[in-house]
Amino acid sequence: MRILVVEDEEGLADSLRRGLSADGHAVEVAHDGHRGLDLALAGGPYDVVLLDLMLPGISGYEICTRMRAHGDTTPVLMLTARDGEHDEAEGLDSGADDYLTKPFSFVVLAARLRALVRRSAAPDRGTLQAGDLVLDPSGRRCRRGAHDIELTARELGVLACLMEQPGRAVAKQDILDEVWDTPHGIDPNIVEVYVSSLRKKIDAPFGRRSIRTVHGTGYRMAPDGG
């Protein structure tokens, strides 16, 4: 893989570069937000971007937001020393695909990166539809009616899992097992964060309630998308 690491802690950045390079990956490193953004937009294509949250210049949130605004769908794994669901939700809202809190295991980091790249290159699952909501998992495209909707890889996976089983209650653990490549040890309630983000994108702007909560179980997709 070709990997961009944007991390201002030079010791950590060097450790990541050496570790990922030892695994056979091509790694480029930036130590500030502006350089990271320049590389992300013009230095690619990259297979994945490893992006610190708090950076000199501009934040990881801003870098990710600008990447998505430029139509760059490269998977982004966000790193942060901050912990909490609001920080994670903000990262996801900015377009990140996954989130890892420092300190972390390099083995887990490497597995997360491989999972993101596998997911972005997943074979065609066919177009899914619920009312006027249409999802093309292989093309990573989503739209409601004539309106295109930008989704992260993880959001896309959660939505596809629900749309493949319209009207059926899908347990949080089942979504976790389907969408996360390393689900063991992850709190199933993380699914709530992604469902909340999806609702803000595919439902709220259009006055819809297509993702319904099934108390005590998980979620179901309204077959008509509304």
Side-chain angles (χ1 to χ4, degrees), residues 70-205:
H70 279 78
D72 188 335
T73 60
T74 303
V76 171
L77 175 61
M78 195 166 277
L79 298 178
T80 179
R82 298 167 65 181
D83 192 11
E85 62 181 21
H86 293 295
D87 294 324
E88 182 162 355
E90 187 173 353
L92 299 174
D93 285 343
S94 72
D97 299 285
D98 204 355
Y99 193 97
L100 197 58
T101 302
K102 302 175 185 176
F104 51 82
S105 158
F106 181 81
V107 172
V108 171
L109 170 70
R112 294 277 190 95
L113 292 175
R114 291 193 299 270
L116 282 177
V117 173
R118 283 198 304 272
R119 193 172 299 113
S120 67
D124 189 356
R125 297 168 70 179
T127 300
L128 303 170
Q129 187 162 0
D132 64 349
L133 181 67
V134 178
L135 179 66
D136 174 8
S138 62
R140 296 188 65 177
R141 292 188 294 270
C142 179
R143 71 175 189 274
R144 187 178 286 283
H147 300 276
D148 291 330
I149 302 171
E150 289 291 332
L151 297 180
T152 69
R154 192 81 77 185
E155 290 168 346
L156 188 147
V158 172
L159 183 58
C161 189
L162 294 171
M163 291 183 71
E164 286 172 341
Q165 305 176 71
R168 177 184 172 189
V170 184
K172 292 179 185 177
Q173 187 62 55
D174 289 342
I175 296 173
L176 197 67
D177 291 342
E178 173 71 21
V179 180
W180 275 255
D181 288 74
T182 54
H184 301 296
I186 300 177
D187 186 345
N189 287 329
I190 188 62
V191 175
E192 294 179 10
V193 176
Y194 287 88
V195 169
S196 175
S197 181
L198 280 170
R199 284 170 167 161
K200 292 176 183 177
K201 293 183 177 183
I202 69 169
D203 282 348

Side-chain angles (χ1 to χ4, degrees), residues 208-219:
R208 305 296 185 86
R209 291 183 59 249
S210 60
I211 302 179
R212 308 291 178 85
T213 298
V214 181
H215 295 289
T217 302
Y219 305 94

Side-chain angles (χ1 to χ4, degrees), residues 21-42:
S21 295
D23 280 349
H25 306 300
V27 183
E28 292 188 62
V29 176
H31 297 299
D32 67 82
H34 290 295
R35 175 61 176 162
L37 179 62
D38 288 344
L39 284 174
L41 295 181

